[in-house]
Every structure is written in structure tokens, then in C-alpha cells.
Amino acid sequence: MADVSAGFAMTLPPERAISYFESKGLTPSLSWQDMKDEAHAVKFTVAGITKLDVLNDIHQGLTDVLRNGSTLRQFQDDLEPLLQRKGWLGRGLKADENGELEGKKLMPYRLDTIFRTNVQSAYAAGRWQQQMRNVADRPYFEYNAVMDNRTRPTHAALNGRVFRWDDPIWQSIYPPNGYRCRCWVRALNAAQLDSHPLGLETSAGRLITVQQPYGLQGEMRPVTAYRDPKTGQLLTPDAGFHLNPGQGYLAGLGQSLLEKGTTAAPRLAAQAVRETLGNNNRLVSEMNRSLDNWTRGLTAASKGDFRRAGAISPHVLAMLSADGNLPSPVITLSAEVFLAHRDAGKALWPRLVSLLLRPQAVLLRGEELHLVTPDNPRREVVVLRRGSDGFSIAGVRAWADTDAAGEVIDGALAEVADGA
């Protein structure tokens, strides 16, 4: 197979980029139907993320204007410049319902970054899947950076390095490794490895866990870093890019949506999550699978790690807004809570995202929310506690008769209680 230049492909318009990948024999799946379903799910999810970004920027701009004593009319007059400053609105163009350009268009650098990042990730996911089908003939993976004046130093430090396909380093450094990353991976056969100037390396004994800043609230997240034996430098992807896109790209988009929801206007975030997850079964399935895989790998050394698992519904959020101080609707599962409740929730963890999205009932018990799951295979209660960035899962347990004392704020408790 001819070599593929991801850096070149990322400079092409979408249609030409797709044609380029196809000309190289790249397909993201053996099933054409799976490809179509995946593409639809990705498109729908990216649209939800983009919509939340735009609406939240408008909402925040309106909040700032009103806080400063300006009028709504003044805000309306300032809306277009606001969107231009935020990078959403171009000058002189817009897209009609068929995507044709006329007048003004939401476009420039932010949409460009979103597009290129997601095209690159989708390409990388397909590339990984194809490489997995050919590991018997090409078991050695070479990291390639473009190596021009825009290449990040950490990416340049990996250029030309070769590791076996099953080396755990590929779980964290398979590109893209940051926004607008143009790096790519080439699979080599034994003859190519024999003539390679650097030869085969291993990450054994060189992978360590470090804390990396994450999000906008001063959070830290444990990620895997590679200690370069040549320089001693710790090499990590940029924040938010520490997972192999071929092993959960779609689920990663779901995480991105939820992460944005922790800092977005609460009502907008709740609605965006409900619309995006509620109409995208493939996305929810991938998020379930990814979350389950994450929990299976947790150990005592995973302290501090977490995953976003869902969000409370717009209706439940409205029921909690009496004091006017709305929390973020996003629900987080920490490594510590999972490890403490691993056995108690063993039937629940593999389908947690689905259960949080559609609980049978939601009860208000003091300062806690109790989400009651359907009787499949048994009724369970997921306990949520309000925190600085939304709700955290505090534990899971089997349903008890005393739970009926909680105030039902969503769903139908009677249906849950029958036959309990």
C-alpha cells in the first residue's frame, strides 16, 4: 500500500480529502453500513458540540452585556461583532439550508479547527482499524511528524520512532495529539525495520503517570507520559488528546460534549446533552463501551482519574432551580468511587450512560439526587451529589423500600415500586 501523508490530506477540502483516503485503500470498517452509521453519529455529535459552543458564547455575551448595564437592543446591535470576535462569524457569507454560501456564514478559525480536528481523528480511527487487520505483515509502527516550523517540539521528538503495534505507548500517543496535529503513523514490515535508521524501541519501564491540567476549572487529570531515554523529557499529548482515536473516537466526542457542558450555561448544556445523546443510539453505545473499558483498567494507582458519564435532564434541572443557582447538569464518575463500589454496581457499570440518560425515576433526597434504574436485571439506585462542576456519582446500591420516601421529581416511581 502506498504511504499516506496525513499532513497533505489535512490541507484538502472535505470531498478531496475523502477521495484521497479512498485512493489509498483506507476504509474505517469492514462493513459499509457500519461506516455510514458511524459517519452519521459523528456528524450528529459534532453538530451538537458546535451548537452548544455557539449558543453558549452568545449566552455569555448577553450575560456580560446585561451585567454591565447595557440594553438588549444594544446587545442585538453588538451580536455580529461578538460572533466575529469569538471566531464564529465570517464576513460577507452565510450558508443556506443546503449549505450553499450566500451573505454571511458561521465559519472562520473555530469551525475550521473543529472540522480539521475531527476529520483527522476520523481518519486516524480508520487508519488504526486497517493497521490492526495487517499486523501479521506489518507489526511495527513508526510515528511521523511533518517536521516544519509549525511542528510542536514534543511531536518532533517522536518523529521516526518505531514501536511494536502492541506496545502500550500507542494507547496514548497515537495521533492526533493536539488541535491541528498533522502527525500520522506508518506500519512497517520486517524488511523495512531492518533498514530503519533508528530501529525498534520499547516503552517498557518508561511509561509513567503524570498529572496534566485539564479543563477550565483548575482540574488535573492523570495521563500516561513517555520518558524519552535519550533526553529524559516527558512526552505527553496535549490535554484532551491522551486516548487512541481508533479505540473510541466517537465516545471521545461524547466526552468532549459533556466536558463543554461543565462550563456552559446549565440550561443550554442540559438541552444539548439531551438532544445529542437522546437521538444518537450509536453514540450512547460507544460511550457505554468506552466507559466500561475504562473501569476495567482502573487500579489504586488511578486515583484522580474520572470520566463524564452523562447529565441530568432539562426537566430535573428546572426542578432544582428554585434558588436561582443552577448547577452544571453534567454527571461525573471518579476512579475512587468506582473502585469503592465496583461489586455493588457490577450489573450497572457496562450500561451506565444509558441508565443515566433514561432512569425510571429521579428522587430528591435532601441534597442528593437518587436515580432509580429499571428492573433489568435488578432495580438499583445511583446516588448523585452536587459539586463545583456538576454532579458526581457518590455510590450505587440496590433498591430498598425506604427509597419510596423520596420526592419524585421525574419519572414514575409507582412503576418502579410494583413488585419490588
Side-chain angles (χ1 to χ4, degrees):
M1 178 181 296
D3 287 339
V4 177
S5 172
F8 166 71
M10 289 304 102
T11 67
L12 300 175
E15 296 80 5
R16 290 185 59 195
I18 292 170
S19 296
Y20 174 78
F21 294 147
E22 290 177 343
S23 73
K24 300 297 184 180
L26 297 181
T27 57
S29 170
L30 290 174
S31 166
W32 172 247
Q33 186 59 47
D34 282 349
M35 288 172 62
K36 291 199 297 183
D37 291 346
E38 184 85 1
H40 175 77
V42 168
K43 180 179 180 181
F44 192 86
T45 308
V46 171
I49 293 172
T50 305
K51 179 180 178 180
L52 177 59
D53 274 347
V54 175
L55 292 179
N56 191 61
D57 278 344
I58 293 173
H59 176 275
Q60 188 59 50
L62 176 60
T63 300
D64 292 344
V65 166
L66 296 180
R67 183 183 295 122
N68 294 331
S70 300
T71 65
L72 179 60
R73 178 57 182 271
Q74 184 174 343
F75 169 74
Q76 292 171 333
D77 291 341
D78 291 342
L79 179 57
E80 183 176 322
L82 170 72
L83 293 177
Q84 290 173 351
R85 289 196 306 272
K86 290 286 189 177
W88 288 120
L89 190 63
R91 297 178 181 274
L93 294 174
K94 68 178 180 180
D96 64 16
E97 60 183 9
N98 297 315
E100 298 297 327
L101 301 183
E102 59 179 26
K104 300 185 185 300
K105 181 191 177 188
L106 284 174
M107 174 63 182
Y109 70 90
R110 291 186 65 176
L111 290 186
D112 184 62
T113 297
I114 289 170
F115 164 74
R116 293 190 182 280
T117 298
N118 286 289
V119 167
Q120 174 73 324
S121 294
Y123 156 72
R127 181 72 163 160
W128 171 263
Q129 292 173 21
Q130 180 164 18
Q131 288 169 336
M132 289 300 95
R133 295 195 292 269
N134 294 315
V135 291
D137 297 322
R138 294 174 174 270
Y140 310 108
F141 286 7
E142 177 192 63
Y143 192 102
N144 286 267
V146 176
M147 301 303 290
D148 58 17
N149 60 5
R150 293 189 291 129
T151 302
R152 278 156 272 202
T154 53
H155 299 201
L158 290 166
N159 183 57
R161 314 288 278 273
V162 181
F163 301 86
R164 268 184 58 92
W165 69 273
D166 54 356
D167 192 301
I169 194 172
W170 294 117
Q171 304 305 310
S172 57
I173 70 160
Y174 197 95
N177 286 316
Y179 289 109
R180 293 182 175 269
C181 172
R182 297 167 293 153
C183 299
W184 59 289
V185 171
R186 182 172 68 135
L188 308 177
N189 58 32
Q192 289 171 314
L193 179 65
D194 288 342
S195 61
H196 196 276
L198 298 181
L200 184 66
E201 299 182 53
T202 176
S203 67
R206 298 169 184 160
L207 296 179
I208 64 173
T209 300
V210 299
Q211 295 292 324
Q212 184 181 58
Y214 188 85
L216 302 175
Q217 305 298 318
E219 296 172 294
M220 303 292 286
R221 165 171 275 180
V223 299
T224 299
Y226 175 65
R227 188 182 296 279
D228 191 336
K230 299 177 182 179
T231 64
Q233 181 183 10
L234 292 178
L235 304 177
T236 62
D238 295 349
F241 288 85
H242 64 292
L243 299 176
N244 183 328
Q247 299 181 330
Y249 165 59
L250 184 53
L253 286 177
Q255 283 290 300
S256 178
L257 172 69
L258 295 174
E259 194 63 47
K260 289 175 181 294
T262 64
T263 55
R267 289 190 177 90
L268 290 177
Q271 190 63 38
V273 173
R274 179 63 44 161
E275 289 180 0
T276 306
L277 270 60
N279 295 292
N280 198 333
N281 291 334
R282 190 177 185 91
L283 171 62
V284 173
S285 295
E286 289 297 316
M287 291 176 68
N288 275 325
R289 183 169 63 177
S290 178
L291 188 65
D292 186 41
N293 288 338
W294 172 72
T295 60
R296 292 174 186 272
L298 293 178
T299 67
S302 304
K303 182 179 179 181
D305 204 358
F306 60 90
R307 287 293 185 275
R308 309 301 186 189
I312 63 174
S313 70
H315 174 75
V316 172
L317 185 68
M319 296 293 289
L320 301 176
S321 63
D323 61 359
N325 184 23
L326 286 176
S328 164
V330 175
I331 301 170
T332 301
L333 173 64
S334 70
E336 292 88 334
V337 167
F338 170 79
L339 293 173
H341 297 269
R342 183 197 297 267
D343 293 335
K346 61 183 178 182
L348 177 148
W349 302 123
R351 54 199 180 102
L352 180 63
V353 177
S354 297
L355 294 174
L356 295 179
L357 181 63
R358 296 185 179 91
Q360 187 72 46
V362 180
L363 312 180
L364 183 61
R365 296 289 299 267
E367 296 297 314
E368 295 179 343
L369 288 179
H370 290 194
L371 275 59
V372 183
T373 73
D375 186 9
N376 180 25
R378 64 173 184 170
R379 297 184 186 91
E380 294 177 292
V381 177
V382 181
V383 179
L384 304 183
R385 290 179 184 158
R386 182 170 170 174
S388 59
D389 61 348
F391 292 87
S392 60
I393 296 177
V396 298
R397 56 176 174 76
W399 166 267
D401 290 340
T402 55
D403 287 318
E407 177 189 357
V408 181
I409 60 175
D410 198 16
L413 186 58
E415 296 178 14
V416 178
D418 287 342

